[in-house]
């Protein structure tokens, strides 16, 4: 039972991460290859706060805010660089985060942070993670239906045309980065308390690519598709253990195959097969 | 006071002086034509006025206020609208949705306010009325990527009008339309102008511009060559030479 509970919890955390990235890349059209850094920022910030005696809900909130604020900073960087270069910048942010954490004794360096207080039991974390994932899915569906989602679409499709009809492109990009990275921070805070031990490698480039693969395989821009992608890619390494050793290879290959043969991912396949468009 | 003024605007791309020391002023309520041979700098001048390009030197004034450094979206909110010579639709949106994006200016101005609002009926109604006015409401629910150029040209005009602009900058709106459509569109431009919108019109269709504009500006090699009443301007030898020179090169 414990095993299934922990798989479900990880699936929920991955849904939160993928939904956040989909907001940035799928809705607003901003590439990010460093999403794991914000997962890590949330985890480290919440862990440090808890170790320092901050109550659990506030520690989680702290993780959300730290990740979101750094997300805003990267959002500002996104305003200055061309689209293809943004991929490099966000990848760089990921490596910068890892490099910095690995060298800081107060962040535990390579050893990470251990003995993080854990106020909940396994059921508690599962409920928290699934509850948060459901809340994010609802938020994502709402964003899509709202004028924010429509404006994201305009920014993603043609920034200059969006500007000339009065859309504050910069404001929308920063909003997308804030919401998406704050969500990653939430996942990080929950993860840190659940495992009680965090190490830098959990938040590496492979993790970023894994999250991106969930979004692309599920169907970039489709909330339900991305949920399916996140759950699928959580289960795959559980069913086929060998994948764990070849994650970058397997996910990289899957990414390329999907982009080549079904750019809409699973959601796109469903649309073609059944004629229903997933939100 | 002038609604829009450019003062000594210049910009160069590499060695090319696309616009050099151009000053112009458009009074509230005017319908001004801006003409010139290919590569004269007309589009570049419009881009300087709307802020898509920042001038190397010179200023742009709106109602006497210096807006040279003002971001594009803020100018749009002030009542500046333009259509692009090369159409720029949101290709994965329908024509109606394209226009709705502009019609919802009050809602989308701030991201957080946009997040709080879902209802699109008002914007949809206004968009449909504008599409009907331009005669393309039959394609309202078609994706922009699937409609012909003539429709996109008119959709862009509808999108610009949805901003309820005070000033409309049109970059070759008649190109790509057939003769009947062009005349109809030109009449609409006159009608909009009569309704109070100040218009600066870049156009190669000299027949239509001279018919509807009350004043012409002629740009040649990045500089202002002539200015005045359309028929008088078109009769000038240097203006004829500028156009003929183009044909000689072509
Ligand atoms: N972004 C750019 N980079 C380099 N050169 C440019 C750029 N934009 C315009 N030019 C050059 O500036 C000059 C003026 O171009 P512009 O497009 O403004 O002319 P135009 O009058 O609009 O011509 P057309 O009637 O063909 O639309 C041309 O020589 C063009 O090649
Ligand atoms: Mg031009």
């Amino acid at each position: 039972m414990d095993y299934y509970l922990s798989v479900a919890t990880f699936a929920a955390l991955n849904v939160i991460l993928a939904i956040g990235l989909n907001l940035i890349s799928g809705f607003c059209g901003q590439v990010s290859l460093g999403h794991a850094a914000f997962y890590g920022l949330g985890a480290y910030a919440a862990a440090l706060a808890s170790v320092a005696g901050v109550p659990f809900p506030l520690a989680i909130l702290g993780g959300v805010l730290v990740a979101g604020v750094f997300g805003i900073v990267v959002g500002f960087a996104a305003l200055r660089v061309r689209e293809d270069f943004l991929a490099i910048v966000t990848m760089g942010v990921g490596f910068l985060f890892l490099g910095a954490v690995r060298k800081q004794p107060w962040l535990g360096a390579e050893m990470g942070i251990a003995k993080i207080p854990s106020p909940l039991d396994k059921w508690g974390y599962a409920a928290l993670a699934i509850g948060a994932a459901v809340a994010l899915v609802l938020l994502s569906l709402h964003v899509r239906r709202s004028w924010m989602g429509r404006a994201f679409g305009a920014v993603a499709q043609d920034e200059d045309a969006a500007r000339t009809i009065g859309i504050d492109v910069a404001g929308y990009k920063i909003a997308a980065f804030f919401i998406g990275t704050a969500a990653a921070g939430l996942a990080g805070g929950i993860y840190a308390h659940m495992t009680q031990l965090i190490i830098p490698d959990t938040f590496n480039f492979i993790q970023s690519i894994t999250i991106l693969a969930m979004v692309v395989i599920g169907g970039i821009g489709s909330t339900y598709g991305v949920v399916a992608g996140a759950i699928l890619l959580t289960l795959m390494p559980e069913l086929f253990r060998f994948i764990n050793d070849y994650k970058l290879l397997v996910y990289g290959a899957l990414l390329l195959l999907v982009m080549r043969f079904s750019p809409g991912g699973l959601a796109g396949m469903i649309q073609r097969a059944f004629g229903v468009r997933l939100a | 006071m002038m609604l829009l003024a450019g003062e000594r605007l210049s910009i160069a791309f590499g060695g090319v002086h696309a616009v050099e020391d151009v000053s112009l002023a458009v009074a509230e309520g005017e319908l001004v034509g801006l003409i010139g041979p290919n590569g004269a700098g007309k589009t570049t001048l419009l881009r300087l006025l709307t802020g898509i390009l920042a001038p190397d030197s010179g200023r742009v004034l709106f109602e006497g206020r210096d807006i040279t450094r003002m971001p594009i979206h803020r100018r749009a909110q002030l009542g500046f609208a333009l259509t692009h010579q090369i159409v720029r639709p949101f290709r994965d949106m329908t024509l109606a949705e394209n226009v709705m994006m502009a019609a919802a200016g009050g809602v989308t101005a701030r991201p957080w306010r946009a997040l709080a609002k879902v209802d699109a009926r008002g914007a949809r109604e206004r968009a449909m009325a504008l599409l009907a006015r331009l005669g393309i409401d039959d394609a309202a629910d078609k994706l922009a990527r699937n409609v012909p150029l003539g429709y996109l040209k008119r959709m862009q005009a509808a999108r610009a009008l949805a901003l309820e602009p005070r000033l409309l900058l049109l970059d070759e709106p008649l190109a790509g339309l057939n003769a009947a459509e062009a005349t109809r569109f030109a009449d609409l431009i006159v009608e909009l102008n009569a309704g109070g919108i100040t218009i600066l019109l870049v156009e190669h269709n000299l027949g239509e511009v001279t018919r509807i504009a009350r004043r012409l500006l002629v740009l040649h090699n990045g500089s202002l060559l002539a200015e005045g009443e359309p028929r008088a301007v078109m009769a000038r030898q240097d203006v004829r030479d500028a156009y003929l020179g183009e044909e000689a090169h072509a």
Side-chain angles (χ1 to χ4, degrees):
Chain A
M1 193 64 229
D2 272 7
Y3 169 74
Y4 294 107
L5 210 52
S6 99
V7 171
T9 309
F10 274 107
L13 292 180
N14 284 333
V15 166
I16 298 173
L17 291 167
I19 290 281
L21 180 60
N22 184 52
L23 243 139
I24 299 171
S25 303
F27 288 3
C28 198
Q30 306 304 299
V31 196
S32 174
L33 297 183
H35 205 58
F38 301 98
Y39 185 29
L41 276 166
Y44 272 87
L48 285 178
S50 257
V51 168
V54 174
F56 176 65
L58 287 182
I60 295 278
L61 184 66
V64 170
L65 289 180
V66 168
V69 166
F70 275 90
I72 290 176
V73 174
V74 175
F76 272 104
L79 305 179
R80 311 230 157 262
V81 299
R82 281 207 335 269
E83 201 178 325
D84 41 355
F85 198 64
L86 184 58
I88 315 264
V89 169
T90 50
M91 202 197 300
V93 167
F95 288 125
L96 206 64
F97 168 77
L98 273 192
V101 169
R102 285 206 165 107
K103 292 281 168 283
Q104 299 300 320
W106 63 282
L107 293 175
E110 294 289 353
M111 305 296 291
I113 299 177
K115 301 207 182 80
I116 302 164
S118 181
L120 305 176
D121 62 8
K122 278 195 154 33
W123 285 97
Y125 286 111
L128 180 60
I130 292 169
V134 169
L136 257 131
V137 167
L138 293 177
L139 175 70
S140 174
L141 291 171
H142 169 76
V143 167
R144 191 51 155 190
R145 287 171 53 240
S146 75
W147 279 99
M148 179 185 254
R150 294 194 182 96
F152 279 159
V155 172
Q157 286 175 47
D158 190 334
E159 273 184 34
D160 292 327
R163 280 192 188 94
T164 55
I165 57 165
I167 291 173
D168 177 5
V169 170
Y172 280 95
K173 283 188 185 176
I174 289 166
F177 269 100
F178 175 75
I179 303 174
T181 57
L186 174 62
I190 298 174
Y191 171 82
H193 288 86
M194 179 176 76
T195 57
Q196 296 183 272
L197 165 71
I198 52 175
I199 54 168
D201 260 349
T202 307
F203 312 105
N204 61 10
F205 183 60
I206 297 180
Q207 179 69 259
S208 288
I209 293 299
T210 304
I211 303 168
L212 181 67
M214 292 169 181
V215 171
V216 173
I217 290 168
I220 191 156
S222 159
T223 301
Y224 291 122
V226 165
V227 170
I231 294 174
L232 189 74
L233 262 64
T234 311
L235 296 182
M236 252 181 24
E238 300 299 325
L239 298 175
F240 310 103
R241 287 280 162 189
F242 71 93
I243 290 179
N244 266 323
D245 300 327
Y246 302 99
K247 261 189 179 166
L248 201 53
L249 193 69
V250 174
Y251 292 167
L254 271 176
L255 262 176
L256 290 178
L257 282 175
V258 168
M259 288 197 280
R260 172 67 185 78
F261 295 106
S262 177
L266 293 172
M269 291 181 204
I270 288 175
Q271 188 178 346
R272 260 171 287 141
F274 304 106
V276 281
R277 195 181 173 128
L278 292 185
Chain B
M1 188 195 300
M2 289 297 160
L3 184 63
L4 174 73
E7 284 182 356
R8 311 204 59 179
L9 291 167
S10 297
I11 189 169
F13 301 108
V16 183
H17 294 276
V19 168
E20 203 174 9
D21 204 16
V22 170
S23 297
L24 80 170
V26 181
E28 179 119 48
E30 265 195 305
L31 198 178
V32 180
L34 174 61
I35 64 167
N38 286 115
K42 304 178 297 294
T43 296
T44 305
L45 182 57
L46 285 197
R47 290 189 162 165
L48 289 173
L49 295 172
T50 48
I52 294 172
L53 290 171
D56 295 339
S57 61
R59 301 196 303 163
V60 179
L61 306 177
F62 189 73
E63 293 190 305
R65 175 173 164 206
D66 188 338
I67 59 163
T68 317
R69 303 273 155 235
M70 183 184 278
I72 304 164
H73 72 273
R74 293 261 296 112
R75 297 187 206 208
Q77 291 163 7
L78 273 186
F80 245 80
L82 92 159
T83 66
H84 307 268
Q85 177 175 359
I86 299 178
V87 290
R88 301 284 290 266
F90 302 118
R91 294 193 180 275
D92 294 328
M93 297 187 194
T94 64
L95 294 190
E97 284 166 346
N98 263 275
V99 179
M100 284 163 66
M101 284 314 305
V107 183
T108 53
R110 285 199 183 24
W112 303 113
R113 198 192 299 163
L115 180 60
K117 211 170 161 217
V118 172
D119 183 40
R121 278 169 301 184
R124 164 110 190 154
E125 255 167 51
R126 289 187 41 218
M128 290 307 289
L130 284 165
L131 290 174
R133 187 162 187 196
L134 282 142
I136 52 172
D137 51 333
D138 57 315
D141 294 316
K142 290 209 173 107
L143 286 183
R145 62 166 67 258
N146 297 334
V147 302
L149 181 64
Y151 275 75
L152 293 180
K153 282 269 177 182
R154 286 180 279 172
M155 180 282 287
Q156 282 202 134
R159 196 169 69 180
L161 289 175
L163 295 172
E164 295 182 343
R166 295 178 58 196
L167 174 69
L168 191 53
L169 307 171
L170 300 166
D171 198 351
E172 300 196 23
L174 307 184
L177 302 188
N178 64 36
E181 285 172 341
T183 303
R184 186 157 159 232
F185 201 131
D187 289 340
L188 175 68
I189 293 172
V190 173
E191 192 186 311
L192 292 170
N193 179 242
I197 303 176
T198 307
I199 294 175
L200 180 59
L201 168 68
V202 170
E203 194 42 70
H204 270 303
N205 184 332
L206 297 179
E208 293 294 348
V209 213
T210 45
R211 179 170 74 86
I212 67 174
R214 269 163 287 164
R215 188 157 68 90
L216 277 191
L217 303 173
V218 186
L219 214 54
H220 182 45
N221 287 337
S223 310
L224 215 49
L225 177 68
E227 170 171 10
E229 197 276 321
R231 262 152 255 289
V233 167
M234 291 311 293
R236 277 174 57 162
Q237 192 56 45
D238 50 355
V239 172
R240 296 181 155 272
D241 286 346
Y243 272 93
L244 285 177
E246 183 200 19
E247 268 157 37
H249 287 302

